[in-house]
Amino acid sequence: MKFRAEIDVMPLKELLDPQGKAVEQSLEKLNFDNINDVRIGKHITIKISADSKEAAQVKIEEACKKLLANPIMEGFRYEIFQD
Amino acid sequence: MKFRAEIDVMPLKELLDPQGKAVEQSLEKLNFDNINDVRIGKHITIKISADSKEAAQVKIEEACKKLLANPIMEGFRYEIFQD
């Protein structure tokens, strides 16, 4: 079966996010009021073939831990959809 | 009312995504089989105050068009949640 994983890798809440801060300031200069706490991370989509949704989930979890997210600085979450 | 926008900014389907390709090859080297079509973009969260969900949506749509996404190379989608 074919699945699609939608993964977000975001900087941990405890850490500063200079890229997000820069975008927040740019939005203020463009007169966007009432906007705050902009945080920027990565969005990753992966197509994966597996016998079941659970098997796909195990693979994606492993890929996040081994390669996609740096656990010192980033957290991740994902959803898996049947394609 | 306070809202949280979850925005994905992704490279357009028609374009190559060298970062995604590099991650795909790295996953293959780590013996992840059956994985393909890795694409990498940005995930942005923004907190916004607005009178209604519709008003927040108008602001976020405008922010995406003016600053967050480059329409030549990227598409965007977003969801708005009441916080």
Side-chain angles (χ1 to χ4, degrees):
Chain A
M1 290 193 285
K2 289 186 180 297
F3 300 92
R4 173 173 47 87
E6 300 276 349
I7 305 164
D8 291 329
V9 177
M10 298 298 288
L12 293 175
K13 274 197 203 72
E14 299 75 22
L15 300 180
L16 288 174
D17 174 10
Q19 199 185 355
K21 208 36 110 178
V23 165
E24 194 174 320
Q25 287 167 3
S26 298
L27 286 171
E28 278 165 21
K29 282 185 198 141
L30 291 171
N31 292 320
F32 284 90
D33 308 322
N34 305 321
I35 268 182
N36 55 65
D37 204 4
V38 179
R39 294 187 76 80
I40 302 188
K42 285 176 287 187
H43 185 78
I44 304 167
T45 62
I46 294 180
K47 303 257 172 93
I48 180 168
S49 308
D51 294 337
S52 67
K53 190 170 174 177
E54 287 69 31
Q57 192 168 334
V58 167
K59 281 282 182 196
I60 292 299
E61 179 94 24
E62 199 187 344
C64 287
K65 287 186 175 159
K66 281 197 177 163
L67 184 72
L68 302 175
N70 169 356
I72 309 288
M73 300 177 60
E74 297 169 324
F76 63 86
R77 58 177 181 245
Y78 56 84
E79 277 188 280
I80 297 190
F81 302 92
Q82 193 163 349
D83 244 6
Chain B
M1 289 192 286
K2 289 186 179 298
F3 300 92
R4 173 173 46 89
E6 300 276 348
I7 305 164
D8 292 328
V9 178
M10 298 298 289
L12 292 174
K13 276 198 202 69
E14 299 76 23
L15 300 179
L16 289 174
D17 173 11
Q19 198 186 358
K21 210 33 115 181
V23 165
E24 193 173 321
Q25 286 168 2
S26 298
L27 286 170
E28 278 165 20
K29 282 188 196 141
L30 291 171
N31 292 318
F32 284 89
D33 308 323
N34 305 321
I35 267 180
N36 56 65
D37 205 5
V38 179
R39 294 187 78 80
I40 302 187
K42 283 175 287 186
H43 185 77
I44 304 167
T45 61
I46 293 180
K47 303 259 172 88
I48 180 169
S49 308
D51 293 337
S52 66
K53 191 170 174 176
E54 287 68 32
Q57 192 169 333
V58 167
K59 280 281 180 196
I60 293 298
E61 179 94 23
E62 199 188 344
C64 287
K65 287 186 174 158
K66 281 198 179 161
L67 184 72
L68 303 174
N70 169 355
I72 311 287
M73 300 178 60
E74 296 169 325
F76 64 86
R77 59 177 179 248
Y78 57 85
E79 275 188 282
I80 297 190
F81 302 92
Q82 193 163 348
D83 245 8

